[in-house]
Amino acid sequence: MKKSVPLIAVLVAGGLTVSACGSSSTPAASGTTTPAPTSSAAGSPTSDGESSGPTGSSSAGGGEALPATTISVLAPSYADSSEADWKTIIGAFKKVQPNVTVDLQIEAWDGFSDKVAARIQAQDMPDILNDNNYGESADDLLYPVNEVMSPETLATIEPALLKNGVGTDGTQWAAPDIATSRLLVYNTDLFKKAGISAPPKTWTEMEDAATKLKAIGVAGYGMPLGKEEAQAESTLWLWGAGGTWIDGEGLKADTPAAAEGFTEMKKFIDGGLTQANPGSSNRQDVADLFNQGKVGMYVSHSGLTATTRDKFKDIKFAETPIPSKSGTPVGYGVTDFILAFNNKDEARKAATKSFLDFFYQEAQYGPWYKGTGLLPATTDAIASATTDDAVNAPFYQALKTVQFTPSGYKQWSALQSALQATAGKLQSASAADVLKEIQAQVDAAG
């Protein structure tokens, strides 16, 4: 097995490194999440967390009674209902495994990685962690998820998402529990006013559309290169050029494909086709401009478009795949994960497995994921949501073809930080100089 960076080193030295659906620095996510609408989907737990869940089931989570033990869950708050949603599942689980007690700790995303690190440092690891990252193979700290989830449960997760939890050593260290996907969102009224007959598929068509939008007095394309999601925006353009951050067994920033993607971004900036300050804009800043009718198109997710749909009803928009140089759509996805810590206690391990199999059952998982306000990770839930939630159907469909940033690589933390700190300099510096600086930061990190 390939030697890896211990998770504790990743956590303590660099913090959780991947901004997936949530963010370790901002409440409710790095521009990818939105507060969940209500907790009603999960029902209302009683004061002790009991619910009207199934009883005495012989399916996953039920069966033979487990010995008395206590396991703990550490999870972020996606919405006001998050604690209640978890307690509903815990209450239902208690009915099928009465000897198992599940302690719950819910924390805000702001400072969440610090909470995780503190528990690891105190040798008080939660048995189950819901987070936006996993450390590469995490010697002796994590169980491979196939040891704490049944094959049947793992098979419920959408394969395109499940692979995002595979480390560079080929081990499935994490199981996705929620996801988001990105699409190009465009203002249909502005497109019509500018004489644009169809959404762009290629960079050339995108530049032409942005130029026509500029001519009617709005920013053609919203480009967020601020610290919140510069890594995501940069990755979209890299992939659009046909490239990847992966170089052999490591990651590399300064590559010909990256140069091509960054040069194209610079072309939009220098041509005045973006908002005024792309180097310091976060995705929410761009979304705000879009909601004001000041940006013609930007890459968005279902949480942001829900806000546009609900609160800015005068803004008419549609979604389309993200353009690339060749016209092959770029699919960008993010997931959060379930991880299981190895606390070297077989009773707790068995209880963890029983609980996770129970958690992913449709009756438990469906209400829980809806409470997060994000997209589901299981194949059945995605199919159901695609039918029931037609306005977001394109985002659900995209989950099947998305790519992910290389979160399983130990260098990703350094590369992500370098992109967040430096990609915005494209506003005033050349693509070559910016990439050289990013590469230097990655190299310095080792």
Side-chain angles (χ1 to χ4, degrees):
M1 184 176 74
K2 184 185 298 181
K3 186 63 177 175
S4 63
V5 176
L7 177 62
I8 193 168
V10 175
L11 294 170
V12 175
L16 293 179
T17 58
V18 177
S19 177
C21 294
S23 165
S24 61
S25 58
T26 57
S30 55
T32 64
T33 62
T34 185
T38 67
S39 62
S40 59
S44 300
T46 60
S47 58
D48 63 353
E50 294 292 308
S51 78
S52 57
T55 59
S57 170
S58 60
S59 59
E64 183 178 351
L66 294 172
T69 191
T70 298
I71 61 173
S72 62
V73 175
L74 174 57
S77 176
Y78 291 101
D80 292 343
S81 67
S82 290
E83 184 169 4
D85 293 345
W86 274 105
K87 284 185 173 179
T88 296
I89 297 176
I90 290 170
F93 181 70
K94 188 71 172 177
K95 293 183 177 179
V96 296
Q97 288 294 350
N99 297 327
V100 177
T101 297
V102 181
D103 290 338
L104 175 66
Q105 180 182 356
I106 296 288
E107 298 288 348
W109 272 117
D110 190 9
F112 188 75
S113 60
D114 295 334
K115 300 289 185 182
V116 176
R119 289 193 61 168
I120 293 174
Q121 288 177 314
Q123 293 294 297
D124 179 33
M125 286 90 77
D127 295 282
I128 297 169
L129 174 66
N130 176 195
D131 206 347
N132 60 10
N133 185 36
Y134 63 98
E136 184 183 339
S137 75
D139 313 312
D140 295 330
L141 287 180
L142 294 178
Y143 288 118
V145 293
N146 62 359
E147 293 188 17
V148 287
M149 291 172 64
S150 69
E152 292 79 9
T153 297
L154 283 171
T156 67
I157 299 173
E158 167 61 38
L161 304 180
L162 186 61
K163 66 183 181 183
N164 196 32
V166 177
T168 57
D169 60 357
T171 300
Q172 186 82 46
W173 291 109
D177 56 352
I178 52 174
T180 63
S181 61
R182 307 288 174 84
L183 292 170
L184 184 73
V185 175
Y186 61 99
N187 184 313
T188 52
D189 287 340
L190 291 178
F191 265 48
K192 184 177 180 180
K193 184 178 180 180
I196 305 168
S197 59
K201 295 180 180 179
T202 66
W203 284 351
T204 299
E205 293 173 355
M206 192 172 170
E207 182 181 356
D208 180 63
T211 301
K212 291 178 178 177
L213 288 163
K214 178 185 176 183
I216 63 171
V218 301
Y221 177 72
M223 183 180 291
L225 292 177
K227 292 184 177 179
E228 181 191 32
E229 280 207 320
Q231 79 286 356
E233 186 71 16
S234 300
T235 300
L236 291 172
W237 291 85
L238 168 73
W239 289 351
T244 173
W245 297 122
I246 299 171
D247 180 49
E249 295 189 351
L251 303 179
K252 186 174 182 180
D254 193 1
T255 65
E260 193 168 14
F262 275 53
T263 297
E264 191 68 19
M265 284 194 286
K266 179 69 172 172
K267 190 176 178 182
F268 272 65
I269 295 171
D270 289 351
L273 303 181
T274 70
Q275 76 280 13
N277 53 348
S280 58
S281 296
N282 290 322
R283 195 166 301 279
Q284 185 61 56
D285 300 324
V286 173
D288 291 343
L289 292 172
F290 184 83
N291 291 337
Q292 297 165 20
K294 296 179 179 178
V295 163
M297 53 185 166
Y298 80 115
V299 174
S300 186
H301 58 76
S302 57
L304 291 174
T305 57
T307 298
T308 304
R309 189 176 294 108
D310 293 342
K311 297 184 178 180
F312 301 91
K313 298 185 184 300
D314 290 340
I315 300 297
K316 307 303 180 187
F317 65 91
E319 303 92 358
T320 192
I322 300 170
S324 69
K325 178 184 176 183
S326 68
T328 300
V330 173
Y332 185 98
V334 286
T335 62
D336 282 359
F337 302 100
I338 290 291
L339 317 174
F341 279 91
N342 182 353
N343 282 304
K344 305 186 187 309
D345 184 314
E346 289 302 314
R348 290 169 67 177
K349 181 180 181 182
T352 295
K353 183 176 186 296
S354 182
F355 183 83
L356 290 178
D357 284 342
F358 186 76
F359 170 81
Y360 276 97
Q361 288 182 8
E362 184 177 355
Q364 321 305 325
Y365 177 75
W368 179 85
Y369 97 76
K370 290 176 183 176
T372 69
L374 301 172
L375 306 184
T378 66
T379 303
D380 286 348
I382 292 170
S384 177
T386 302
T387 301
D388 298 340
D389 185 17
V391 294
N392 285 318
F395 290 104
Y396 294 120
Q397 292 286 0
L399 288 177
K400 299 177 181 179
T401 57
V402 292
Q403 303 179 69
F404 300 96
T405 51
S407 57
Y409 285 74
K410 66 179 183 180
Q411 289 176 301
W412 177 243
S413 177
L415 176 54
Q416 176 178 250
S417 296
L419 290 167
Q420 291 173 325
T422 310
K425 292 184 178 180
L426 264 181
Q427 190 168 337
S428 56
S430 70
D433 286 345
V434 171
L435 280 171
K436 186 179 300 182
E437 184 173 343
I438 291 171
Q439 185 64 56
Q441 292 175 47
V442 174
D443 293 342

